[in-house]
Amino acid sequence: MKKIILSSLLVLNMTSAFAQKFTWNQREFEAVNTKAEIVNMDGAQVLKVERDLIASPFDEKNIEASVDGPTYVKLTNVDMENGTIEVKMLSRIMENSPFPAARGFLGLAYRVDQENRNFEAIYLRPSNGRADDQLRRNHTVQYFSYPDYTFSRLRKEANGLYETYADIGLNEWIDVRIDFQDEKAVLYINNQKSPSFIVTKMLGTSKKGSIALWVEIGTIGYFKDLKVTKK
């Protein structure tokens, strides 16, 4: 009963402010345009994160301007230029999602500046991973750089260079590791020896900053076993 009460208090506190700080796994986080809750899943305490549609409204008629923004929980007191992020993540699509085409968007942001104005990110669309349509499969993994290089701009200008396929799905734990060094970022999924995705040249202007657990519209994201290594 005590764990349930603590989780409920956390939700109330975090929805009362634009960016509320909280502690999870002995680390301090800041919720930016999100709602978060510590929940019990299969005997483990995990972090549940959703986009806060009051702090960050969504306009289905203007999708490009409504997505790929600072919708995450961010580690405080972290300033990394290069390093490694490891985490397990699971996504579900909300019932009555405000965006019918939601794909279970969740991922990692890094080099996040203090004001949340610039960052790099790689995220997943798990429902695309096993779709019958090959084009959808090709859009399973996505890099973007906030604020200038959204998924839509990169898809138009870079001809698929910043997205790819991965064998993943909804409602399953996905092991994710991102190594980022100078201009390059490499993504490993489910402990594979070879990278699932390589970003040879990142496009952002932020050269160092914090890391964050990122979600997008229509998605309930769960995270556990976070490890951050600074190089």
Side-chain angles (χ1 to χ4, degrees):
M1 179 62 71
K2 185 176 181 181
K3 291 181 181 178
I4 296 174
I5 294 172
L6 288 174
S7 297
S8 299
L9 286 175
L10 179 61
V11 174
L12 291 174
N13 287 340
M14 293 187 57
T15 55
S16 65
F18 174 76
Q20 179 69 42
K21 293 181 179 179
F22 66 98
T23 299
W24 175 57
N25 283 357
Q26 300 180 333
R27 288 187 172 101
E28 186 180 69
F29 289 82
E30 181 180 40
V32 180
N33 297 318
T34 54
K35 298 183 288 185
E37 181 182 3
I38 299 168
V39 300
N40 189 287
M41 182 180 289
D42 299 325
Q45 282 198 338
V46 304
L47 187 63
K48 175 184 175 183
V49 184
E50 301 176 25
R51 177 169 167 172
D52 185 342
L53 293 177
I54 296 176
S56 178
F58 174 74
D59 182 1
E60 191 176 358
K61 296 180 180 179
N62 191 9
I63 294 175
E64 293 186 10
S66 296
V67 298
D68 289 0
T71 52
Y72 44 56
V73 292
K74 180 175 72 173
L75 270 173
T76 63
N77 304 313
V78 172
D79 193 27
M80 292 172 55
E81 180 178 1
N82 300 311
T84 298
I85 313 165
E86 300 171 79
V87 72
K88 292 181 176 67
M89 57 178 69
L90 178 150
S91 70
R92 295 171 178 165
I93 296 175
M94 296 176 178
E95 293 185 12
N96 302 315
S97 167
F99 182 44
R103 305 301 188 202
F105 315 106
L106 80 173
L108 295 169
Y110 51 97
R111 294 180 179 170
V112 184
D113 70 4
Q114 188 172 358
E115 295 80 18
N116 302 301
R117 294 176 180 170
N118 295 274
F119 61 87
E120 311 278 7
I122 296 175
Y123 69 90
L124 310 177
R125 303 183 183 100
S127 71
N128 283 358
R130 295 172 190 146
D132 292 333
D133 183 308
Q134 184 58 49
L135 184 59
R136 271 190 60 185
R137 287 189 175 216
N138 294 344
H139 300 324
T140 304
V141 179
Q142 178 76 55
Y143 162 86
F144 76 97
S145 180
Y146 182 79
D148 295 322
Y149 292 91
T150 62
F151 88 91
S152 57
R153 177 178 178 180
L154 293 173
R155 192 169 289 176
K156 293 172 185 174
E157 298 180 5
N159 194 28
L161 184 63
Y162 290 99
E163 55 188 325
T164 194
Y165 163 76
D167 181 16
I168 57 175
L170 292 168
N171 201 31
E172 63 184 37
W173 286 108
I174 304 166
D175 284 276
V176 173
R177 185 180 104 218
I178 296 176
D179 297 330
F180 55 100
Q181 177 79 30
D182 301 327
E183 293 185 329
K184 185 176 182 179
V186 181
L187 170 71
Y188 295 86
I189 291 179
N190 289 335
N191 301 307
Q192 293 180 337
K193 293 183 179 180
S194 298
S196 298
F197 184 48
I198 299 173
V199 180
T200 304
K201 182 178 176 58
M202 291 184 284
L203 302 171
T205 59
S206 181
K207 301 305 180 185
K208 62 179 182 177
S210 187
I211 70 101
L213 309 175
W214 183 92
V215 299
E216 234 330 329
I217 191 67
T219 300
I220 305 172
Y222 299 87
F223 300 88
K224 66 178 182 179
D225 299 344
L226 175 65
K227 299 178 182 177
V228 179
T229 305
K230 186 176 182 179
K231 294 182 181 178

